[in-house]
Amino acid sequence: MSTQKVIHGIGHAVKRKEDPRFITGNGRYLDDIKLPGMLYLAFVRSPYAHAKIKSINVEKAKNMPGVVAVITGKDLQALNLAWMPTLANDKQMVLPVDKVVYQSQAVVAVVAEDPYLAKDAAEAVEVEYEPLPAVVDPRKALEKGAPIIREDKGTNHVLHWEAGNKEEVEKLFKEADIVVRQEFYYPRIHVAYMEPCGVIAHYDRIAGKLTVYMTTQAPHAVRTVISLVTGMPENNIRIISPDIGGGFGGKVYVYPEYVVAIVASIMTGRPVKYVFSRSEDMQTTAFARDFYITGELAAKKDGKVLALRVKVIADHGAFQGDANPSKFPYGLFTIVTGAYDFKAAFVEIDGAYTNKPPGGIAYRCSFRVTEAAYTIERLMDILAHELKMDPAELRLKNFIPSNKFPYKSALGWEYDSGNYEAALRKAMELINYEELRKEQEEKRKKGELMGIGISSFVEIVGAGPSHIFDILGIKMFESCEIRIHPTGAVIARFGTRAQGQGHETTFAQVIADELGIPIEKITVEEGDTDTCPYGLGTYASRSTPTAGAAAAVAARKIKEKARKIAAHLLEVREEDLEWERGRFYVKGVPSKFKTIEEIAFAAYTNPPPGLEPGLEAVAYYNPPNMTFPFGSYICVVDIDKQTGIPKVRKFVAVDDCGVRINPLIVEGQIHGALAMGFGTAFLEQIIYDENGNNLTGNFADYTIPTAVETPKWITDQTVTPSPHHPLGAKGVGESATVGSPAAFVNAVVDALAHLGVRHIDMPLYPWKIYKILKEKGVIK
Ligand code: CDP
């Protein structure tokens, strides 16, 4: 009979089913799609961050050979489409009419027979601007007298949001023996996926049907929004999300260029394609982070923490486009109390409009969890240094004890399960922590710079219970539809859309495990709204907690029907049957059984009287709670005392995402996310000058880590299952991006702490460290 080995169920480190397609160059990405009669778009983009549009002359461009149409903001205004809604209930210019509000904003669109003609014609468009003073710092944007960016709003203040118990926090701060306070800047960074964003819109005038191929992580939500905005019936809209080369949150956004492509296709009746160039993508698509954070932590002198107070000023760019659930304008930043047993906490955030592209998306992050984990893990280290306590000891003293779960945090979350001490102790053992501290002491005596940084982060992923989570009013849940064909082969469809995470493999493993059908016989499909059940998409590490659960629930529904069919075939009562993976057998008579394949065949050829034929099920899974993965990372850094260049010598990552469906894929997720965390800590930042010019608009000026810079990772795990998830699994995709930046920064600061250094903002460029070493007299 089937064994787990044969079917490759949960826990098997099988290679990804999708890999042969990807690594042989046979993925079907958006730019691979060519439709008959396809037209191409190019955009005229603003050289200014803030300027009035005095005039636009499109005559020359319009008359160039191969140009089919030229579209301006005024043309869209006539169609009531010059503005579009954002995911955060704000609105955003599709093409501007009166003024531009960030550099490289799309101003005019040209539609032509080929992409080169379109680009040439775009260059022939004449736009006259009158520059206005630009506001690039959100703190200055909120000052009195700052130039107003959004006349429609009349203010640069986006919103004020607070959570927690302010009075209780104030009381506890008064009772504290020690208060540490630190300002942090979490830099604006780019979501550097491999494949830039793109769209092909095809309006079929005869069928009245709009098909949009789009690099989107959330096809169903996009379809609903297009229907609501245009009034087009939802059944006449089909969103297809083909293979996607990385999304990391940046492909949840609907970009103005997509709307223009749709309008252009409706205008011309032909398919219209637009793929962002790398520079266009880097200069205009949704940014991540950009938080100015002030953290204050109150504690007793023995290190026991009491209360946490955090104030943030958030830069939104010119429109509020954050992809956050409606009730959480700053996402799940309220996980900021982390792994620690605080009595109270208070968070307040103010958002500002600036002359930069909008975004604020959850870049490999469950809605601002990365900023939260960084804040608390930096503050804990600062407190440890102030108290002259070992940072590991301070953490162990304050962890929420493993017997206190489910645990209600000071900011209201109910953590499902955790064992933070076990993860940290395992990481300490793996890296030989005690020895490293001794080595550090010896090195300091010799004037050498070595640091050890810990980050014991907690995440909150799996949005979400739909009574509190929605995007634009659409409740968050996830779906799976399983159809078993007569021969026992399976097609399973989901509302999620992977961008490289391996869903075709892991979701097949879940179904294999539940039904005892080998993964080779299970096809997983995502990303087509005409065929897949409704779901909110893949981002924020939500797929396993939600769609993974939906797969298990749908499979269990099938098992219930299979039991009825097996009873009929074996001529026994349903309750006389026992399930063993892949078959039902008669209790006490294991030789009398029917396999799932035999049952599937009978479902179509010999169903029990009164039972409808077929063997399929659909599950819409509304999770009862979020899942709370966690981990402990330890980083060892050596700093060259002549140049300030930091080198990561060793990095240990112990992650706990509950039950691992595919340990190999989980490892891959952690490796990739660690590289991204490394990039954030050491290399990446989108920089603007005072006029709002983007100084880092290509990969020559914006560095992401390659295999050359990226350190080696030592990974391990603890397993604390989620008690409410049907498989005990928690999300993991983003864990290491969330958890690692603090470990890197803590290590570098620890290397310099004896010189009186308390904080350095990311990215930890060598010149910043060099400057400090010079100031401290280490470099003469
Ligand atoms: O939503 P997203 O797919 O980005 O994140 P995820 O749910 O954390 O899953 C990332 C990949 O890791 C998927 O292929 C998951 O099925 C897999 N995974 C796993 O095998 N076991 C877990 N406990 C969590 C994720």
Side-chain angles (χ1 to χ4, degrees), residues 700-719:
D701 299 324
Y702 184 95
T703 323
I704 57 167
T706 67
V708 176
E709 295 83 17
T710 306
K712 289 212 161 27
W713 316 112
I714 301 165
T715 55
D716 211 320
Q717 61 171 310
T718 55
V719 179

Side-chain angles (χ1 to χ4, degrees), residues 30-236:
L30 186 121
D31 208 17
D32 297 322
I33 299 167
K34 291 183 177 60
L35 302 180
M38 193 152 75
L39 297 170
Y40 297 83
L41 268 177
F43 287 91
V44 179
R45 295 186 178 275
S46 168
Y48 297 105
H50 199 192
K52 270 196 188 139
I53 297 173
K54 289 181 73 184
S55 66
I56 298 178
N57 184 351
V58 301
E59 282 316 302
K60 218 188 287 171
K62 244 183 185 167
N63 294 319
M64 283 171 71
V67 172
V68 177
V70 180
I71 304 169
T72 65
K74 284 208 170 117
D75 297 328
L76 294 184
Q77 198 175 38
L79 303 167
N80 209 14
L81 279 173
W83 292 76
M84 64 180 199
T86 70
L87 290 173
N89 268 323
D90 191 2
K91 55 180 191 162
Q92 171 172 0
M93 293 171 193
V94 178
L95 292 177
V97 175
D98 305 316
K99 72 169 193 170
V100 290
V101 284
Y102 59 88
Q103 193 188 43
S104 297
Q105 184 181 347
V107 180
V108 178
V110 177
V111 192
E113 296 288 346
D114 84 39
Y116 307 102
L117 290 174
K119 278 204 176 112
D120 287 347
E123 278 177 23
V125 173
E126 290 158 8
V127 186
E128 208 187 329
Y129 298 96
E130 182 186 320
L132 296 166
V135 191
V136 288
D137 184 327
R139 296 163 299 181
K140 289 199 179 136
L142 294 178
E143 282 171 8
K144 264 209 177 102
I148 296 292
I149 296 159
R150 296 277 301 275
E151 279 77 13
D152 62 314
K153 296 275 172 187
T155 170
N156 292 334
H157 188 214
V158 178
L159 65 103
H160 175 85
W161 188 60
E162 48 184 64
N165 188 334
K166 193 174 182 180
E167 292 71 36
E168 185 61 18
V169 166
E170 269 162 22
K171 197 175 123 239
L172 288 163
F173 266 72
K174 283 187 192 128
E175 289 168 18
D177 298 324
I178 177 167
V179 170
V180 291
R181 180 179 190 279
Q182 185 62 50
E183 291 182 4
F184 310 105
Y185 174 54
Y186 207 120
R188 174 178 276 238
I189 52 176
H190 173 65
V191 187
Y193 24 64
M194 267 205 274
E195 179 204 16
C197 294
V199 66
I200 300 169
H202 183 200
Y203 183 67
D204 179 336
R205 284 180 175 164
I206 306 296
K209 182 146 182 163
L210 174 69
T211 303
V212 188
Y213 299 83
M214 197 188 264
T215 52
T216 177
Q217 300 173 229
H220 288 277
V222 169
R223 183 186 63 183
T224 302
V225 172
I226 292 178
S227 172
L228 291 173
V229 171
T230 61
M232 202 179 274
E234 216 170 344
N235 58 311
N236 282 350

Side-chain angles (χ1 to χ4, degrees), residues 515-581:
L515 295 176
I517 295 172
I519 58 165
E520 293 73 31
K521 286 179 77 177
I522 302 170
T523 298
V524 167
E525 280 186 9
E526 299 178 307
D528 184 339
T529 55
D530 262 11
T531 56
C532 294
Y534 203 98
L536 271 287
T538 290
Y539 41 85
S541 293
R542 67 184 294 274
S543 302
T544 305
T546 57
V553 173
R556 287 172 197 179
K557 285 187 184 177
I558 284 183
K559 235 176 337 192
E560 280 318 300
K561 185 166 182 188
R563 176 188 288 274
K564 291 188 195 319
I565 300 169
H568 163 68
L569 296 176
L570 291 163
E571 296 177 341
V572 293
R573 291 177 314 168
E574 284 176 49
E575 48 278 27
D576 293 334
L577 290 175
E578 202 76 69
W579 171 256
E580 179 185 277
R581 192 158 33 211

